[in-house]
Amino acid sequence: RNSGGFVLDDWPPAMQFNNNAGCTGRLNGKRSYHRATFCNGGYHGGKPAGDNACAVLDNATQNLFYCHGGCGLHCNEAFGEARDGPDVQQCQNVASRLVQTNANQHAQAAYWVSIVVVQWADLLICKTRWLSIRQQGLRNSVLNFGLFFETLLAAWLCYFTPFQVLGTRSLRFTHWMPGIPWSMMIFMYDETRKYMMRATSPEVTNVATGQVTRIPGWIERFTYY
């Protein structure tokens, strides 16, 4: 968007523009426009010019367009109801700086969320050195608050628009999933380690005093701390 005149150098050839009257043409090469609004493919096809054809922008998937016979440099673009044709494909200019910026911000958000998901397991395994979490329980209110707050913070940074200045974007629910297998693997590894540590460190009871002494096994000696 721009409120004054400007020149476009390397925008994709299939991007639509609205010159204050509706979607009226295409950008081909280096051209100058005055007070133009670029809708990046987020317009409603089939609407007549001047009827706010470009009014609704698709900020999640920039530079979408539709081509007969497949995507390419020589796109035979489809508009309106023609987009439902059997030979029409939805295309996107992945070389656009806008698309690349948004893709990078989605990746940063997904990476941040994956760290938070893995930290769920890290927090739980640090709760005990010897006992299983099943034996210990989750009665520590501070720990429970920490689990809740770090998840809430991750959601805030992803979905609350003022926080997106940090370089994040809203994620699909499925993009929260990649970190979960690793979180489960960390948790199961540590539970298995603690079980083997308990199983290989026998306890001896002094008959006279009743004192119980544990004889550290190999796993306890090398993995306890």
Side-chain angles (χ1 to χ4, degrees):
R1 294 173 178 269
N2 197 303
S3 59
F6 56 93
V7 177
L8 300 173
D9 295 323
D10 56 354
W11 291 76
M15 183 177 286
Q16 304 300 310
F17 70 91
N18 174 1
N19 195 19
N20 297 331
C23 290
T24 57
R26 301 170 62 179
L27 301 181
N28 291 291
K30 184 174 181 179
R31 298 180 62 180
S32 176
Y33 296 91
H34 180 67
R35 300 184 66 82
T37 300
F38 293 87
C39 59
N40 294 344
Y43 57 91
H44 288 303
K47 286 189 176 182
D51 191 24
N52 296 322
C54 293
V56 180
L57 306 185
D58 185 352
N59 293 321
T61 51
Q62 283 79 8
N63 300 341
L64 283 180
F65 53 98
Y66 298 80
C67 300
H68 290 283
C71 306
L73 293 177
H74 304 289
C75 168
N76 180 16
E77 194 159 2
F79 298 94
E81 295 180 358
R83 293 179 175 180
D84 298 326
D87 65 330
V88 175
Q89 291 187 5
Q90 186 186 72
C91 308
Q92 186 176 26
N93 177 24
V94 296
S96 164
R97 291 188 295 272
L98 183 60
V99 171
Q100 292 175 354
T101 298
N102 276 272
N104 182 58
Q105 290 171 336
H106 277 91
Q108 291 175 167
Y111 185 77
W112 153 249
V113 165
S114 296
I115 292 175
V116 171
V117 170
V118 170
Q119 288 302 313
W120 294 345
D122 290 340
L123 183 60
L124 292 177
I125 68 175
C126 291
K127 183 175 173 62
T128 68
R129 287 182 179 173
W130 181 261
L131 297 177
S132 167
I133 195 70
R134 181 179 178 183
Q135 297 170 294
Q136 182 72 14
L138 287 170
R139 296 181 295 272
N140 188 325
S141 59
V142 176
L143 180 142
N144 295 336
F145 173 78
L147 284 171
F148 170 77
F149 181 77
E150 68 172 345
T151 307
L152 184 63
L153 179 61
W156 273 342
L157 291 178
C158 290
Y159 302 110
F160 189 46
T161 304
F163 288 159
Q164 291 181 353
V165 297
L166 299 177
T168 59
R169 281 295 181 270
S170 300
L171 297 178
R172 294 180 180 177
F173 178 74
T174 52
H175 293 161
W176 285 70
M177 299 294 106
I180 289 182
W182 302 101
S183 184
M184 294 174 62
M185 184 182 70
I186 292 172
F187 180 77
M188 294 306 299
Y189 161 78
D190 201 67
E191 284 290 296
T192 303
R193 180 189 66 83
K194 290 173 183 175
Y195 169 78
M196 294 178 65
M197 188 167 61
R198 294 192 301 270
T200 57
S201 297
E203 294 180 345
V204 178
T205 303
N206 188 306
V207 178
T209 63
Q211 180 181 6
V212 178
T213 304
R214 186 172 70 239
I215 303 174
W218 186 90
I219 296 177
E220 181 181 354
R221 291 200 306 271
F222 291 99
T223 69
Y224 184 75
Y225 288 103

